[in-house]
Amino acid sequence: MVTTDGFTVQPLEFPGGNIGSLAVHGTVNDLAVSGAVPRYLTLSVFLEEGLEIAVLRRVVQGLAGAARDSHVAVVAGDTKVVGRGDCDGIYLAATGVGFRPRGVASGSPTSAPAIVFW
């Protein structure tokens, strides 16, 4: 099963996490509610010119911690830098891949935007 989602939140950091941990947990959740066991993520990162390195480090640490806790691997990605003022610091787009165990019914079509490949 496959799902993809974009993350454009403000503030970038909030009680309990940041945009990085949100991207992992949101993508993993979309797979899980569809009956899949999440395994792999890809990540596209859009960074605004001038973003503080300390903020970027915390976002990456949040993302890495969430991936470890969720037992998923980030297997591919891409980074683009956009001009100052063209985004709110950082935008993320994550794609998740998971496998539905035999005998487990998939979630309802409205439960998550995951796609089932037969």
Side-chain angles (χ1 to χ4, degrees):
M1 301 177 85
V2 177
T3 189
T4 193
D5 204 351
F7 300 87
T8 60
V9 300
Q10 279 298 326
L12 298 175
E13 300 175 282
F14 42 82
N18 61 43
I19 191 171
S21 59
L22 177 65
V24 172
H25 290 301
T27 306
V28 165
N29 183 66
D30 285 352
L31 289 167
V33 299
S34 294
V37 176
R39 291 285 188 233
Y40 308 106
L41 298 177
T42 68
L43 183 69
S44 293
V45 180
F46 302 87
L47 297 173
E48 183 178 11
E49 177 187 1
L51 178 70
E52 293 180 33
I53 295 297
V55 172
L56 178 59
R57 281 192 180 117
R58 290 191 300 269
V59 167
V60 170
Q61 289 170 345
L63 191 142
R68 265 190 314 276
D69 292 347
S70 299
H71 306 287
V72 296
V74 178
V75 296
D78 185 42
T79 302
K80 300 292 185 234
V81 177
V82 300
R84 191 177 305 266
D86 287 345
C87 79
D88 288 330
I90 184 170
Y91 293 156
L92 301 176
T95 298
V97 177
F99 301 93
R100 189 177 64 211
R102 290 186 186 267
V104 174
S106 65
S108 70
T110 60
S111 63
I115 298 171
V116 179
F117 292 97
W118 302 104

Short mmCIF file of all heavy atoms in Angstrom, two decimals, residues 74-115:
data_model
loop_
_atom_site.label_atom_id
_atom_site.label_comp_id
_atom_site.label_asym_id
_atom_site.label_seq_id
_atom_site.Cartn_x
_atom_site.Cartn_y
_atom_site.Cartn_z
N VAL A 74 13.64 5.71 6.15
CA VAL A 74 13.58 6.72 5.09
C VAL A 74 14.59 6.26 4.03
O VAL A 74 15.79 6.24 4.27
CB VAL A 74 13.92 8.12 5.62
CG1 VAL A 74 13.89 9.13 4.49
CG2 VAL A 74 12.96 8.52 6.73
N VAL A 75 14.08 5.84 2.87
CA VAL A 75 14.91 5.18 1.87
C VAL A 75 15.28 6.06 0.69
O VAL A 75 16.14 5.69 -0.11
CB VAL A 75 14.26 3.88 1.38
CG1 VAL A 75 14.13 2.87 2.52
CG2 VAL A 75 12.91 4.15 0.73
N ALA A 76 14.64 7.21 0.53
CA ALA A 76 14.96 8.11 -0.57
C ALA A 76 14.45 9.51 -0.23
O ALA A 76 13.57 9.67 0.62
CB ALA A 76 14.31 7.63 -1.87
N GLY A 77 15.00 10.48 -0.89
CA GLY A 77 14.54 11.83 -0.65
C GLY A 77 15.15 12.83 -1.59
O GLY A 77 15.98 12.50 -2.43
N ASP A 78 14.71 14.07 -1.44
CA ASP A 78 15.19 15.16 -2.26
C ASP A 78 15.07 16.45 -1.46
O ASP A 78 14.17 16.58 -0.64
CB ASP A 78 14.36 15.25 -3.55
CG ASP A 78 14.89 16.31 -4.51
OD1 ASP A 78 16.12 16.40 -4.68
OD2 ASP A 78 14.06 17.05 -5.08
N THR A 79 15.98 17.37 -1.68
CA THR A 79 15.94 18.66 -1.00
C THR A 79 16.05 19.77 -2.03
O THR A 79 16.88 19.71 -2.94
CB THR A 79 17.12 18.79 0.00
OG1 THR A 79 17.04 17.71 0.93
CG2 THR A 79 17.06 20.11 0.74
N LYS A 80 15.19 20.76 -1.88
CA LYS A 80 15.22 21.96 -2.71
C LYS A 80 15.25 23.18 -1.80
O LYS A 80 14.63 23.19 -0.75
CB LYS A 80 13.98 22.06 -3.61
CG LYS A 80 13.81 20.92 -4.57
CD LYS A 80 14.88 20.94 -5.63
CE LYS A 80 14.63 19.85 -6.66
NZ LYS A 80 15.76 18.97 -6.84
N VAL A 81 15.98 24.20 -2.21
CA VAL A 81 16.01 25.47 -1.49
C VAL A 81 15.22 26.48 -2.32
O VAL A 81 15.46 26.62 -3.52
CB VAL A 81 17.45 25.96 -1.25
CG1 VAL A 81 17.45 27.33 -0.58
CG2 VAL A 81 18.23 24.94 -0.43
N VAL A 82 14.26 27.14 -1.68
CA VAL A 82 13.46 28.16 -2.35
C VAL A 82 13.86 29.51 -1.78
O VAL A 82 14.45 29.62 -0.71
CB VAL A 82 11.95 27.90 -2.19
CG1 VAL A 82 11.57 26.55 -2.78
CG2 VAL A 82 11.52 27.96 -0.73
N GLY A 83 13.52 30.56 -2.50
CA GLY A 83 13.92 31.90 -2.11
C GLY A 83 13.29 32.35 -0.80
O GLY A 83 12.23 31.87 -0.39
N ARG A 84 13.96 33.29 -0.17
CA ARG A 84 13.46 33.88 1.08
C ARG A 84 12.06 34.44 0.83
O ARG A 84 11.83 35.13 -0.15
CB ARG A 84 14.41 34.97 1.54
CG ARG A 84 14.15 35.45 2.94
CD ARG A 84 15.18 36.50 3.36
NE ARG A 84 16.55 36.05 3.25
CZ ARG A 84 17.26 35.50 4.24
NH1 ARG A 84 16.70 35.33 5.42
NH2 ARG A 84 18.51 35.13 4.05
N GLY A 85 11.11 34.07 1.68
CA GLY A 85 9.73 34.54 1.54
C GLY A 85 8.85 33.66 0.67
O GLY A 85 7.66 33.90 0.56
N ASP A 86 9.43 32.61 0.05
CA ASP A 86 8.64 31.74 -0.84
C ASP A 86 7.97 30.58 -0.11
O ASP A 86 7.19 29.83 -0.71
CB ASP A 86 9.50 31.20 -1.98
CG ASP A 86 9.82 32.28 -3.01
OD1 ASP A 86 9.15 33.33 -2.98
OD2 ASP A 86 10.73 32.06 -3.82
N CYS A 87 8.31 30.34 1.15
CA CYS A 87 7.61 29.35 1.97
C CYS A 87 7.79 29.73 3.43
O CYS A 87 8.54 30.65 3.74
CB CYS A 87 8.06 27.91 1.67
SG CYS A 87 9.60 27.37 2.40
N ASP A 88 7.12 29.03 4.30
CA ASP A 88 7.17 29.35 5.73
C ASP A 88 8.26 28.57 6.45
O ASP A 88 8.00 27.86 7.41
CB ASP A 88 5.82 29.08 6.39
CG ASP A 88 4.77 30.09 5.98
OD1 ASP A 88 5.14 31.24 5.70
OD2 ASP A 88 3.59 29.73 5.95
N GLY A 89 9.48 28.65 5.97
CA GLY A 89 10.60 27.99 6.63
C GLY A 89 10.95 26.65 6.03
O GLY A 89 12.03 26.44 5.51
N ILE A 90 10.01 25.71 6.10
CA ILE A 90 10.25 24.37 5.57
C ILE A 90 8.91 23.71 5.28
O ILE A 90 7.96 23.82 6.05
CB ILE A 90 11.09 23.52 6.56
CG1 ILE A 90 11.42 22.16 5.97
CG2 ILE A 90 10.41 23.39 7.90
CD1 ILE A 90 12.44 21.38 6.81
N TYR A 91 8.82 23.07 4.14
CA TYR A 91 7.68 22.23 3.78
C TYR A 91 8.22 20.82 3.57
O TYR A 91 9.34 20.65 3.08
CB TYR A 91 7.02 22.69 2.48
CG TYR A 91 6.33 24.03 2.51
CD1 TYR A 91 6.15 24.74 1.34
CD2 TYR A 91 5.85 24.59 3.69
CE1 TYR A 91 5.50 25.97 1.34
CE2 TYR A 91 5.21 25.82 3.70
CZ TYR A 91 5.04 26.51 2.51
OH TYR A 91 4.40 27.72 2.52
N LEU A 92 7.42 19.84 3.92
CA LEU A 92 7.80 18.44 3.72
C LEU A 92 6.72 17.71 2.94
O LEU A 92 5.53 17.99 3.13
CB LEU A 92 7.99 17.73 5.07
CG LEU A 92 9.04 18.32 6.02
CD1 LEU A 92 9.02 17.57 7.33
CD2 LEU A 92 10.41 18.28 5.39
N ALA A 93 7.13 16.78 2.11
CA ALA A 93 6.20 15.87 1.44
C ALA A 93 6.74 14.47 1.67
O ALA A 93 7.91 14.20 1.39
CB ALA A 93 6.10 16.19 -0.05
N ALA A 94 5.90 13.60 2.20
CA ALA A 94 6.32 12.23 2.52
C ALA A 94 5.45 11.23 1.78
O ALA A 94 4.24 11.43 1.65
CB ALA A 94 6.24 11.99 4.03
N THR A 95 6.08 10.17 1.31
CA THR A 95 5.38 9.04 0.72
C THR A 95 5.72 7.82 1.55
O THR A 95 6.88 7.60 1.88
CB THR A 95 5.79 8.83 -0.75
OG1 THR A 95 5.42 10.00 -1.49
CG2 THR A 95 5.11 7.61 -1.35
N GLY A 96 4.70 7.06 1.91
CA GLY A 96 4.90 5.87 2.72
C GLY A 96 4.50 4.61 1.97
O GLY A 96 3.54 4.63 1.20
N VAL A 97 5.25 3.55 2.22
CA VAL A 97 4.95 2.24 1.64
C VAL A 97 4.83 1.25 2.80
O VAL A 97 5.66 1.22 3.70
CB VAL A 97 6.07 1.77 0.69
CG1 VAL A 97 5.79 0.37 0.16
CG2 VAL A 97 6.26 2.77 -0.46
N GLY A 98 3.76 0.47 2.75
CA GLY A 98 3.55 -0.55 3.76
C GLY A 98 2.96 -1.79 3.12
O GLY A 98 2.56 -1.77 1.95
N PHE A 99 2.91 -2.85 3.88
CA PHE A 99 2.40 -4.13 3.38
C PHE A 99 1.28 -4.60 4.28
O PHE A 99 1.40 -4.57 5.49
CB PHE A 99 3.54 -5.15 3.35
CG PHE A 99 4.67 -4.71 2.46
CD1 PHE A 99 5.75 -4.02 2.99
CD2 PHE A 99 4.62 -4.92 1.10
CE1 PHE A 99 6.77 -3.57 2.18
CE2 PHE A 99 5.64 -4.48 0.28
CZ PHE A 99 6.72 -3.81 0.82
N ARG A 100 0.19 -5.01 3.65
CA ARG A 100 -0.94 -5.52 4.41
C ARG A 100 -0.75 -7.01 4.62
O ARG A 100 -0.62 -7.76 3.66
CB ARG A 100 -2.25 -5.24 3.67
CG ARG A 100 -3.46 -5.56 4.54
CD ARG A 100 -4.76 -5.22 3.85
NE ARG A 100 -4.89 -6.08 2.69
CZ ARG A 100 -5.51 -5.74 1.58
NH1 ARG A 100 -6.04 -4.56 1.45
NH2 ARG A 100 -5.60 -6.58 0.58
N PRO A 101 -0.71 -7.44 5.88
CA PRO A 101 -0.56 -8.87 6.15
C PRO A 101 -1.73 -9.67 5.59
O PRO A 101 -2.86 -9.17 5.54
CB PRO A 101 -0.54 -8.94 7.68
CG PRO A 101 -0.20 -7.57 8.15
CD PRO A 101 -0.76 -6.65 7.11
N ARG A 102 -1.48 -10.89 5.21
CA ARG A 102 -2.56 -11.77 4.74
C ARG A 102 -3.62 -11.89 5.82
O ARG A 102 -3.31 -11.99 7.00
CB ARG A 102 -2.02 -13.15 4.40
CG ARG A 102 -1.17 -13.17 3.18
CD ARG A 102 -0.79 -14.61 2.83
NE ARG A 102 0.16 -14.61 1.75
CZ ARG A 102 -0.18 -14.71 0.46
NH1 ARG A 102 -1.44 -14.83 0.13
NH2 ARG A 102 0.74 -14.70 -0.47
N GLY A 103 -4.86 -11.84 5.39
CA GLY A 103 -5.96 -12.01 6.32
C GLY A 103 -6.40 -10.74 7.01
O GLY A 103 -7.38 -10.75 7.74
N VAL A 104 -5.69 -9.64 6.78
CA VAL A 104 -6.07 -8.37 7.39
C VAL A 104 -6.83 -7.56 6.34
O VAL A 104 -6.31 -7.30 5.26
CB VAL A 104 -4.84 -7.58 7.88
CG1 VAL A 104 -5.25 -6.20 8.36
CG2 VAL A 104 -4.13 -8.35 8.98
N ALA A 105 -8.05 -7.18 6.68
CA ALA A 105 -8.85 -6.39 5.75
C ALA A 105 -8.32 -4.96 5.73
O ALA A 105 -7.85 -4.44 6.73
CB ALA A 105 -10.31 -6.38 6.19
N SER A 106 -8.39 -4.34 4.56
CA SER A 106 -7.95 -2.95 4.47
C SER A 106 -9.01 -2.06 5.10
O SER A 106 -10.17 -2.44 5.24
CB SER A 106 -7.72 -2.55 3.00
OG SER A 106 -8.93 -2.59 2.29
N GLY A 107 -8.60 -0.86 5.50
CA GLY A 107 -9.53 0.11 6.06
C GLY A 107 -10.55 0.54 5.03
O GLY A 107 -10.44 0.23 3.85
N SER A 108 -11.56 1.24 5.48
CA SER A 108 -12.58 1.70 4.55
C SER A 108 -11.97 2.72 3.59
O SER A 108 -10.97 3.35 3.91
CB SER A 108 -13.73 2.35 5.32
OG SER A 108 -13.32 3.57 5.89
N PRO A 109 -12.55 2.90 2.41
CA PRO A 109 -11.98 3.83 1.44
C PRO A 109 -11.86 5.25 1.95
O PRO A 109 -11.06 6.02 1.47
CB PRO A 109 -12.97 3.76 0.27
CG PRO A 109 -13.70 2.47 0.43
CD PRO A 109 -13.71 2.19 1.92
N THR A 110 -12.64 5.61 2.95
CA THR A 110 -12.58 6.98 3.47
C THR A 110 -11.66 7.11 4.67
O THR A 110 -11.48 8.20 5.19
CB THR A 110 -13.99 7.47 3.86
OG1 THR A 110 -14.51 6.60 4.86
CG2 THR A 110 -14.89 7.51 2.65
N SER A 111 -11.05 6.00 5.13
CA SER A 111 -10.26 6.07 6.35
C SER A 111 -8.89 6.71 6.13
O SER A 111 -8.34 7.30 7.03
CB SER A 111 -10.08 4.68 6.96
OG SER A 111 -9.37 3.85 6.09
N ALA A 112 -8.33 6.58 4.94
CA ALA A 112 -7.02 7.17 4.66
C ALA A 112 -6.79 7.16 3.16
O ALA A 112 -7.36 6.36 2.44
CB ALA A 112 -5.91 6.37 5.36
N PRO A 113 -5.92 8.04 2.68
CA PRO A 113 -5.67 8.12 1.26
C PRO A 113 -4.65 7.11 0.76
O PRO A 113 -3.85 7.41 -0.10
CB PRO A 113 -5.17 9.55 1.10
CG PRO A 113 -4.48 9.84 2.39
CD PRO A 113 -5.30 9.11 3.43
N ALA A 114 -4.64 5.90 1.30
CA ALA A 114 -3.69 4.88 0.85
C ALA A 114 -4.22 4.19 -0.39
O ALA A 114 -5.42 4.06 -0.59
CB ALA A 114 -3.44 3.85 1.95
N ILE A 115 -3.31 3.76 -1.25
CA ILE A 115 -3.65 3.07 -2.48
C ILE A 115 -3.22 1.62 -2.34
O ILE A 115 -2.11 1.33 -1.90
CB ILE A 115 -2.93 3.70 -3.68
CG1 ILE A 115 -3.38 5.15 -3.83
CG2 ILE A 115 -3.20 2.91 -4.96
CD1 ILE A 115 -2.58 5.93 -4.84
#
